[in-house]
Amino acid sequence: MRRTPIPRLHMTSDTPLPSLLVVEDDPMVLATLKVTLEREQFRVDACSGPLEALPLVAERDFAVIISDHKMPDMMGLDFLAECRRIRPNTSRILLTAVLNPSKVVDAIARGDIYRFISKPWLRNELIATIRDAAERHRLIVENTELKAEVDRLESELSAAGLATASRLA
């Protein structure tokens, strides 16, 4: 069977590794995801539940948050909606074995999740989806920084124009 190459992230030698938060209540699945993603050059924090993960989301910016859907303390969609409120630029991925298509479509439409991955997943699909999500986050952050720079330069130009106009008057 021929392996499809997985697209690489846009990274340079000084680019920090994309940070991921994985939330999964099954210890075996959590360990598997952590090892798999670390091998792919991601920095991974792993939590066994949403209540453990929410304080991390509040204190740190993650490129991608991956959450199981069916968990004891809080459903994954609810957790990811809360993550969106706290960190709107973070890409959020739902990992689920139980698929309710209308709920997933609604969550994507509301912007609560970027994508979903079905269990069991295909490794290449998982990695490609997470790389896409990390690249999305990088572009959003870069765009925000560029917009702030444009706003700053426009303010400087405006101030310089006013100063020139007042001297000419």
Side-chain angles (χ1 to χ4, degrees):
M1 182 162 127
R2 196 170 138 230
R3 297 189 93 180
T4 306
I6 302 170
R8 289 280 174 206
L9 287 171
H10 172 78
M11 292 176 61
T12 62
S13 60
D14 61 340
T15 304
L17 296 178
S19 61
L20 309 181
L21 175 62
V22 179
V23 183
E24 167 65 63
D25 62 323
D26 181 324
M28 291 299 290
V29 173
L30 186 63
T32 299
L33 284 168
K34 184 169 174 49
V35 168
T36 299
L37 297 171
E38 285 174 341
R39 282 186 187 150
E40 294 296 324
Q41 303 302 305
F42 291 107
R43 194 176 69 235
V44 181
D45 285 278
C47 294
S48 60
L51 300 180
E52 175 188 348
L54 281 172
L56 286 177
V57 174
E59 78 180 37
R60 294 206 337 249
D61 187 27
F62 292 94
V64 182
I65 298 173
I66 304 158
S67 176
D68 184 24
H69 179 52
K70 204 166 186 178
M71 294 182 285
D73 298 326
M74 179 188 287
M75 297 301 277
L77 282 176
D78 297 328
F79 167 69
L80 292 173
E82 182 62 12
C83 290
R84 177 182 183 222
R85 188 187 67 72
I86 298 168
R87 299 281 179 188
N89 293 339
T90 296
S91 296
R92 295 162 303 280
I93 297 175
L94 183 70
L95 189 62
T96 183
V98 181
L99 185 62
N100 180 333
S102 64
K103 279 192 173 188
V104 171
V105 169
D106 288 345
I108 291 171
R110 281 192 316 269
D112 291 340
I113 63 171
Y114 170 65
R115 300 245 175 96
F116 74 93
I117 298 171
S118 296
K119 288 180 185 178
W121 60 81
L122 298 173
R123 183 187 171 283
N124 280 358
E125 181 183 327
L126 172 80
I127 301 304
T129 299
I130 293 170
R131 284 195 178 139
D132 287 348
E135 181 66 5
R136 174 191 172 273
H137 178 263
R138 186 192 67 77
L139 291 171
I140 288 171
V141 168
E142 185 177 301
N143 188 42
T144 301
E145 291 168 354
L146 289 172
K147 179 156 180 11
E149 179 67 8
V150 166
D151 291 347
R152 185 187 66 75
L153 291 171
E154 284 178 346
S155 293
E156 285 180 16
L157 281 172
S158 178
L162 290 174
T164 302
S166 67
R167 276 186 287 194
L168 295 175

